[in-house]
Structure formats: structure tokens, C-alpha cells
Amino acid sequence: ERVREARRQAEEKALAEAAARKGKEAYFKAMDEVDEHERKKEWAQMLEAAKAALELLPEDQHAKEKLQRATQLLAEAKVRNEQYQQTLTQAQAAQARGDWQDALSHAKAALNVFPDSKVAKQLYEQLAQKIEQLAHIREHFATATAFEQQGNYRKALEELEKVQRIDRNHPDLQPRMSTCRLKISERERKIFAMKEEYTRATGRNEHVKAAECARRLAAFLDPEQQSEWIAREEQHKRAAEAEQKQKEFIDDCTKHYNKAWFDEDWATFVRYAEEVLRCRKDDELAERVERAKIRVRAERDRRQFEEALERVKVLIADRNYEEARRLLNALKADATTPQQQEIVTRLFKLIFEKEDQNNGSSAGPTQQQGRMARHFKRISEEADQNNGFFAG
């Protein structure tokens, strides 16, 4: 009996020791799980593992501390989770009503509670991007407004197209784009009309009107196109000034040639009239110039004829009858009027008479009759020649 009792006690002790070893192993395993859950911040699992460890070793101080810490962290996590859910809900509500800045503040608060929250992080990034887009939209709208106030609707439309690339559904976008397109169309029609008016004025050489059209176009067009029309305006102004000076010059010449025509000063008339014809075409005036030139030539021929006659008279006075006769023979072709022909005939007769007077004292009657016969024969031949010339 004693042996059997000793054996039973030995077996119970062995079982107790085995149970104790198994319990310690389970405790250490539970504590390992506590540490693992704590590292992963899994507070509920950490709490369950700490409770399991205390069931194995109810008096273990380390397990009690872990249980207390897990309980505290779980309570704090619950508060943070409630705070996170609240701020996230507020952010989503603000987003729904379009209060983007308030939504961004709540999303940032939710992200501060749970920095690793993918939902809060994604919402925050979306809201930040939306706010940045709104800032760009406001900037483009403001720039478009400035261009509209300047009347530069093409540039304004470019800014609105930038808004369209960001948010094509913006409520203010399409009405403003339609207004800009309408203004651009109206502007192009006005520009086309002004350019046509400028072309007509240029074709008619109306430089004053063309300069005014160019000035209005320069004020109406975009800055990059203004320099061309400013230069054209200056060009037409210079042409208008030159035209005005030419008009004044023509008026002055007209006054002079009209007076010369009235005074029958044909050379002066031709001089001033040809100045006018160099400036402009005038068929009637050109015809008058040709008539005046004929009269100028006739007057010149008359003076030359009279000067030649004076030289003949001087030669006769100097008894240089041969030279006088030679010059008179040359004047026959220039004698274009009956008066001139008569003068030439008289001078031929005068030369003969002078020669006869000089030779009369030494010549006999027969010689005088011969000279008279030769004289009248010469006069008759000259008359026949003159008549034939004028008849031709």
C-alpha cells in the first residue's frame, strides 16, 4: 500500500509538473501574442491575449500591466475612431455642399487622427487638388474679365478655354464663352467693313480718309497688329500733305496760266500749264498748250524774221548789197504771210535802186534800160517763185 501510495503521489507530482510546464508554455505563448498585437497596434486582440495569459497565471504582474495597457489603448482607440469618423463625415458633408476649404480642414483633421488612413489621405488629396483647380479657374476668369474690359475678346476666349480644360461643366463657363464668340464675330465684321472702306479710299487716292480708316483700325485691332496700321496712317498723312501742297501748287500755276492766257503771254502760259500737266492729266489743257506752243513758235519766227530784216537794212545801209541779197534769199522760206513777202520784195527793189543810184552816173541810157529790164525780170521771177511756194 505504501509502495502504491508512493507511486500514485509520484505520478500526481509528475502530472502536476507536466501541467505546470504546459501552463508556462501557454503563458509565454500568450504573452508573445500580447507583444505582437501591441506592436501591430491591435488593441482588442492584445486585450484578449493578456486575459488568456492571466488565466494561466492570475497573479502575474507583467500580464496585469499588459491587460491594463491594452484596456487603456483600446479606449483611446475608440475615442480616436469616433473622432476620425466624425471629422471624415464632416469633410464629406462639406464636400457635398461645395465648401471645399471647410472639407479640406476636416479631411486634414481626420488624417491627423489616423495618418495611415487611405480614405482620409485620398479625400485630402482630392480636396487639395480641387482647391488648386478652383484657384486656377478664378485666375483665368479674372484674366478673361480684364481682357474683356480691354475689348480683347480673343484673348479672353483663350483664358476661358483654359478653364474648360480644368472644369468643362463650370456653370459660368459656357455663357461667357458664347458672349466672347459673339463679340469676336461682331468685331471681325467691323474690321472687315473698315478694311473695305480703307481699300476704297486708297483706290480713289483719298489719303485723308484712308489715314482716318487706318487710325481707327489701329485703335480697334489687337496690339500685335497695331504697328502695321499706325505706319499706314503716317504714310497716308504724308501723302495727304504732299497732295495738299501739290493742289496749292496747281492752284497757283492755274492762276498764273489763266492770267497769261488772258494777256496772250503764250510762253508764260505754256510754262505754267506744263507744270500742271506734270502733276495731273488734263486733255483740254494739253490741247490749249499745243495751240499756245504754235503761237509761241509763230511769235519766235516773227521776231527772228524781223531781226533778220533789220540786219538786211543795216547791210543795205552799209552798201553790202550782195550779203543783203543772200540774206533776203534765205528769208524767202521764212516769209509766211503776204506782208512778209511784200517786205522782202520791197527790200529786193530797194537793193536794186541803191545799186542803180550808185552806178547811174557812169552808165548810159542803153545800160540803164538793160539794168531796168534785168531788174523787172528778177522781180517777176521772184514773184513767180513766191506764188508757187505759197500755193504749195
Side-chain angles (χ1 to χ4, degrees):
E1 285 295 326
R2 287 195 298 271
V3 171
R4 285 197 296 271
E5 181 63 22
R7 187 179 296 154
R8 183 184 63 78
Q9 291 178 356
E11 290 176 356
E12 288 179 355
K13 182 178 180 181
L15 291 173
E17 289 176 355
R21 285 194 302 272
K22 188 175 180 180
K24 284 185 178 183
E25 289 175 0
Y27 166 80
F28 288 124
K29 183 178 179 181
M31 292 303 292
D32 288 339
E33 291 178 357
V34 168
D35 293 337
E36 179 67 16
H37 291 308
E38 184 179 13
R39 184 179 62 81
K40 293 181 179 180
K41 298 181 180 180
E42 298 172 348
W43 315 124
Q45 291 87 340
M46 178 183 175
L47 180 63
E48 295 301 324
K51 288 180 178 178
L54 280 174
E55 288 179 358
L56 294 172
L57 291 177
E59 302 300 327
D60 185 73
Q61 187 62 33
H62 184 56
K64 290 180 179 180
E65 291 175 358
K66 289 294 183 179
L67 179 63
Q68 184 179 0
R69 176 173 173 75
T71 302
Q72 180 181 356
L73 291 173
L74 186 61
E76 292 175 357
K78 183 179 179 181
V79 172
R80 284 198 306 274
N81 187 59
E82 291 175 355
Q83 184 181 2
Y84 167 79
Q85 291 296 335
Q86 182 180 3
T87 53
L88 190 63
T89 302
Q90 291 172 341
Q92 292 169 343
Q95 181 186 23
R97 66 174 180 268
D99 191 349
W100 309 108
Q101 197 61 50
D102 187 50
L104 183 68
S105 299
H106 288 299
K108 187 176 181 180
L111 197 58
N112 289 334
V113 175
F114 286 147
D116 298 330
S117 172
K118 293 182 179 180
V119 176
K121 187 176 182 180
Q122 183 179 5
L123 180 61
Y124 180 82
E125 290 175 352
Q126 290 176 352
L127 292 170
Q129 183 181 4
K130 182 66 175 180
I131 290 173
E132 184 179 2
Q133 289 177 349
L134 290 174
H136 288 309
I137 288 173
R138 285 194 298 271
E139 180 181 352
H140 292 314
F141 271 130
T143 306
T145 301
F147 280 128
E148 287 171 345
Q149 292 172 351
Q150 296 170 7
N152 193 343
Y153 293 99
R154 194 173 297 280
K155 287 289 187 182
L157 185 61
E158 290 178 3
E159 292 298 319
L160 294 175
E161 288 172 348
K162 292 177 183 178
V163 174
Q164 188 179 36
R165 287 194 288 270
I166 298 173
D167 183 7
R168 62 185 308 106
N169 297 320
H170 194 284
D172 298 335
L173 181 60
Q174 291 305 323
R176 293 189 62 173
M177 292 183 75
S178 299
T179 301
C180 285
R181 291 191 181 101
L182 180 61
K183 294 291 185 180
I184 290 171
S185 178
E186 293 175 355
R187 180 187 181 87
E188 287 177 349
R189 284 198 298 271
K190 290 180 180 178
I191 290 173
F192 180 77
M194 284 190 285
K195 285 185 176 180
E196 280 194 330
E197 185 179 1
Y198 169 81
T199 302
R200 288 194 297 270
T202 304
R204 294 193 293 263
N205 289 326
E206 297 175 353
H207 295 292
V208 175
K209 187 173 182 180
E212 175 61 20
C213 292
R215 185 193 65 79
R216 288 190 286 117
L217 276 166
F220 202 72
L221 290 170
D222 297 333
E224 59 269 16
Q225 298 175 305
Q226 289 177 350
S227 57
E228 175 189 354
W229 292 97
I230 291 173
R232 291 194 185 190
E233 179 188 3
E234 294 300 321
Q235 177 185 352
H236 286 295
K237 281 183 178 178
R238 290 193 297 270
E241 291 174 1
E243 192 177 65
Q244 181 61 28
K245 289 180 180 178
Q246 186 184 71
K247 182 179 181 301
E248 293 172 358
F249 175 74
I250 290 174
D251 291 343
D252 184 64
C253 290
T254 302
K255 181 177 67 176
H256 282 87
Y257 77 61
N258 282 333
K259 183 178 183 302
W261 183 273
F262 181 79
D263 296 339
E264 296 186 356
D265 184 357
W266 309 119
T268 302
F269 172 82
V270 169
R271 178 159 60 87
Y272 283 106
E274 285 185 336
E275 290 290 342
V276 173
L277 289 174
R278 275 192 285 270
C279 297
R280 71 184 182 192
K281 183 179 180 181
D282 189 334
D283 294 336
E284 181 182 354
L285 181 60
E287 184 182 354
R288 291 174 65 190
V289 167
E290 292 302 319
R291 295 204 306 270
K293 283 182 177 180
I294 294 173
R295 295 180 181 181
V296 169
R297 287 193 295 269
E299 181 65 21
R300 184 189 64 230
D301 294 342
R302 184 188 63 77
R303 287 197 304 269
Q304 290 176 352
F305 186 84
E306 290 178 352
E307 291 172 358
L309 289 178
E310 292 298 324
R311 289 197 297 274
V312 170
K313 291 178 182 178
V314 171
L315 290 171
I316 292 174
D318 294 341
R319 297 184 179 184
N320 191 348
Y321 302 122
E322 290 299 327
E323 181 66 22
R325 187 178 287 110
R326 186 188 64 76
L327 187 55
L328 277 174
N329 286 325
L331 285 175
K332 287 180 182 180
D334 297 332
T336 57
T337 64
Q339 292 82 0
Q340 291 176 345
Q341 296 169 14
E342 183 181 354
I343 292 170
V344 170
T345 302
R346 284 202 309 269
L347 287 174
F348 270 117
K349 183 179 179 181
L350 179 62
I351 291 171
F352 178 77
E353 290 174 351
K354 291 292 184 180
E355 287 178 337
D356 189 56
Q357 289 175 2
N358 292 333
N359 299 324
S361 58
S362 61
T366 303
Q367 292 175 335
Q368 290 178 359
Q369 290 174 358
R371 284 196 299 271
M372 289 294 291
R374 290 193 299 274
H375 170 68
F376 285 115
K377 183 180 180 181
R378 185 184 304 143
I379 291 174
S380 177
E381 290 174 353
E382 291 172 354
D384 291 340
Q385 291 175 358
N386 290 335
N387 289 334
F389 173 77
F390 287 108

